[in-house]
Amino acid sequence: MTERNMKLALEEAKRVVGLIEADELTEDQKAAVIKDSIANFNENYNPGWLEYRKSVSTDSAFVEWGDGGEDGSLFVDVYGTEFIDCLGGFGIFACGHNNQEIKKTVKAQLDRYCLHSQELVDPLRGYLCKLLALITPGDLQYSFLTNGGAEAMEMAMKLARLATGGRWYISTVNAFHGKSMGAISLGGKGSYREDYIPMIQQVQHVEYGNAEATRAAVANLTAVGEKVAAIVVEPIQGEGGVNIPPDGYLKELRAIADEYGCCLVFDEIQTGLGRTGTMWRCDYEGVTPDIMTFGKASSGGVVPITGIIARPWTYEKSGVGTGTEGKMFDNPWILGSPTFGGNPLACAAFIATIKYMLENDIPGQMKAKGDYYMEGLKKLHDKYPTVLLTSRGAGLLICMEFPEAEIGHEVTKELFARKVMVAGTLVNAKTVRIEPPATQSYETIDKVLAALDESLAAVKAAYNL
């Protein structure tokens, strides 16, 4: 760190602040932003990320600079080119891009104060957690607020240990729960785990959707004296390829957890807050988990916030020290103490998001528009059965499946060329998601389906399928 570098940093910071605060960019500034972005990502950001993002285009010059649209389903590049968003930030934009109602509340809080002192009582956290207790299933009551999905999963894993005294976790093949060391230990894809082994050792993976496999794993561990802390599952596997389990699966897991005295943890970070057509996917089967994670849509597309909500017994039966029942934790920070978790701006965004979702029936919109998409996809499957093998989904968490990853990759590129953004799941591009905002209009959906029709025709011809 030299005086010269400090001077260069100040000059660069002033220039970039000017770009951010500008009402409109000049043509020279637009060109500079593109050039700078590519150079900065190559030289200073996570190496290889830029090449990964080029998966939808051979032209890396698409630089995001805005969003919105009448139905909140557009993002815009630096030249004003509009793209229809059918990726939705992996579920972030449930309430649409640039939602003015949510932003209005956040701006009001921004003008009051932005971050809390860490010591005085911050009222918005309390208000938010009360709302969460009202809109979540059963007797879920106590929340802990974090910043990202993986962090929320870490808190769920820790709380399950404290509540049960157990040390083992049962997860599923193809699961995705985040990429921190604890969360990736639960992950069910080898390529994300192999470089970090050994991780948390007491994790067993079983077949997703197979309740009897879960029962056998818990029973076998119990038989040899090992205590299971939690069964951790996504009510629908998102990154695994939108895998929907058979009806009754969640109820069976609830019964197993009750029988063996372990926590049932539902990861609703992607499926929750209306995405699958009900406020929470576990509402579909009427099952209440002991701990539930939430995130993505909770941001309102404005300020990130995630967390967990748990049933009272998980806090009352601490499993710490003597494990005295009815005793709350002596240390309220034993789960964690994230500096920015539950900050005022994020809480304001989440509170406004809940208000908007309830006023506009976001779960109902997800259900109706998801059904509309599925009808269109069925027609396209009938038209191009050798390209689009099948489609599946719940609400606006939808997956198209192709014969192989290369075909799915080409379809995403063809759609992107037609100004529609979709993306593969973390399994691979063989399964491509459609996960748009609930606010997306039926007119826009028709445009997406028309673009997909053209894209499937182009890929069919190119690969002689």
Side-chain angles (χ1 to χ4, degrees):
M1 183 171 65
T2 65
E3 183 176 344
R4 178 177 178 275
N5 280 353
M6 294 301 99
K7 183 179 179 180
L8 290 173
L10 177 57
E11 291 174 356
E12 179 69 352
K14 286 180 177 179
R15 184 176 73 90
V16 176
V17 166
L19 294 172
I20 295 170
E21 294 180 350
D23 292 330
E24 289 187 20
L25 298 183
T26 67
E27 291 302 307
D28 287 344
Q29 286 176 322
K30 292 174 184 177
V33 167
I34 293 173
K35 181 181 178 181
D36 293 344
S37 297
I38 295 171
N40 292 338
F41 270 71
N42 281 328
E43 297 170 15
N44 299 110
Y45 190 59
N46 190 15
W49 193 90
L50 187 62
E51 289 299 313
Y52 168 75
R53 297 312 303 165
K54 285 173 66 177
S55 63
V56 294
S57 174
T58 55
D59 182 354
S60 61
F62 290 102
V63 175
E64 192 168 347
W65 197 250
D67 64 356
E70 289 185 8
D71 64 354
S73 65
L74 299 179
F75 63 92
V76 182
D77 80 351
V78 73
Y79 285 110
T81 307
E82 295 181 345
F83 297 82
I84 298 173
D85 183 12
C86 285
L87 173 59
F90 311 115
I92 294 170
F93 296 105
C95 296
H97 286 267
N98 199 24
N99 187 300
Q100 292 300 308
E101 292 188 36
I102 297 171
K103 286 178 68 175
K104 178 183 176 183
T105 303
V106 174
K107 286 178 180 178
Q109 181 59 41
L110 184 67
D111 288 339
R112 181 170 291 111
Y113 66 102
C114 303
L115 298 176
H116 50 294
S117 69
Q118 307 293 327
E119 186 62 23
L120 298 182
V121 174
D122 177 50
L124 297 192
R125 262 185 286 180
Y127 285 129
L128 171 58
C129 293
K130 179 180 180 179
L131 285 169
L132 284 168
L134 290 172
I135 68 169
T136 49
D139 60 344
L140 290 169
Q141 180 177 349
Y142 294 121
S143 290
F144 188 95
L145 302 174
T146 51
N147 304 282
E151 185 183 12
M153 282 307 304
E154 296 286 342
M155 299 306 108
M157 294 174 72
K158 292 167 73 176
L159 180 58
R161 279 198 174 195
L162 294 171
T164 66
R167 290 294 179 265
W168 281 83
Y169 301 93
I170 308 300
S171 187
T172 59
V173 176
N174 285 328
F176 182 77
H177 299 289
K179 293 177 184 171
S180 58
M181 285 295 283
I184 202 64
S185 299
L186 299 175
K189 184 178 180 183
S191 60
Y192 288 105
R193 303 177 79 255
E194 290 161 355
D195 291 336
Y196 299 112
I197 292 173
M199 295 176 284
I200 293 177
Q201 296 296 285
Q202 297 96 337
V203 177
Q204 252 191 50
H205 293 82
V206 299
E207 181 185 11
Y208 182 72
N210 185 341
E212 287 309 305
T214 301
R215 179 181 295 279
V218 177
N220 289 341
L221 286 167
T222 303
V224 297
E226 301 283 3
K227 173 68 174 172
V228 175
I231 299 166
V232 184
V233 69
E234 300 158 88
I236 294 176
Q237 285 188 332
E239 301 303 329
V242 188
N243 298 318
I244 303 174
D247 287 349
Y249 176 60
L250 302 184
K251 286 184 178 179
E252 282 297 311
L253 296 185
R254 176 71 276 171
I256 295 165
D258 290 341
E259 180 179 348
Y260 288 94
C262 55
C263 283
L264 179 60
V265 178
F266 285 164
D267 180 349
E268 292 253 18
I269 288 171
Q270 187 163 188
T271 56
L273 291 165
R275 174 55 57 183
T276 62
T278 51
M279 184 59 81
W280 308 94
R281 179 59 183 179
C282 60
D283 289 332
Y284 175 75
E285 285 197 23
V287 177
T288 300
D290 299 298
I291 305 170
M292 185 168 73
T293 61
F294 52 81
K296 295 192 185 298
S298 53
S299 66
V302 181
V303 183
I305 182 170
T306 64
I308 66 172
I309 186 166
R311 297 173 67 192
W313 79 265
T314 61
Y315 277 85
E316 293 165 359
K317 189 175 181 180
S318 69
V320 177
T322 60
T324 306
E325 294 189 20
K327 176 183 176 183
M328 289 291 191
F329 297 144
D330 292 330
N331 178 5
W333 302 115
I334 194 167
L335 286 182
S337 53
T339 301
F340 300 110
N343 68 76
L345 293 180
C347 287
F350 199 173
I351 291 167
T353 297
I354 293 171
K355 173 177 176 288
Y356 184 87
M357 284 187 166
L358 296 176
E359 287 179 338
N360 294 277
D361 188 16
I362 290 300
Q365 289 198 54
M366 293 278 193
K367 174 68 168 62
K369 292 172 182 176
D371 289 346
Y372 190 82
Y373 258 113
M374 292 302 292
E375 290 174 9
L377 291 171
K378 174 63 168 61
K379 293 176 182 176
L380 290 174
H381 163 71
D382 292 342
K383 190 174 181 180
Y384 305 102
T386 58
V387 187
L388 178 57
L389 298 185
T390 188
S391 58
R392 55 184 173 270
L396 285 175
L397 180 59
I398 296 170
C399 175
M400 302 180 289
E401 187 167 328
F402 301 98
E404 55 188 84
E406 185 179 5
I407 302 300
H409 179 69
E410 286 300 314
V411 173
T412 65
K413 288 171 66 176
E414 290 288 344
L415 279 169
F416 192 75
R418 291 165 175 79
K419 306 299 185 288
V420 176
M421 168 68 85
V422 295
T425 64
L426 285 183
V427 172
N428 54 46
K430 181 179 179 179
T431 54
V432 174
R433 81 185 82 204
I434 297 175
E435 197 171 350
T439 56
Q440 189 172 86
S441 69
Y442 288 98
E443 180 183 6
T444 300
I445 295 173
D446 286 338
K447 291 179 181 178
V448 172
L449 293 171
L452 180 57
D453 192 339
E454 294 178 3
S455 299
L456 293 172
V459 173
K460 179 181 178 181
Y463 284 81
N464 194 30
L465 292 171

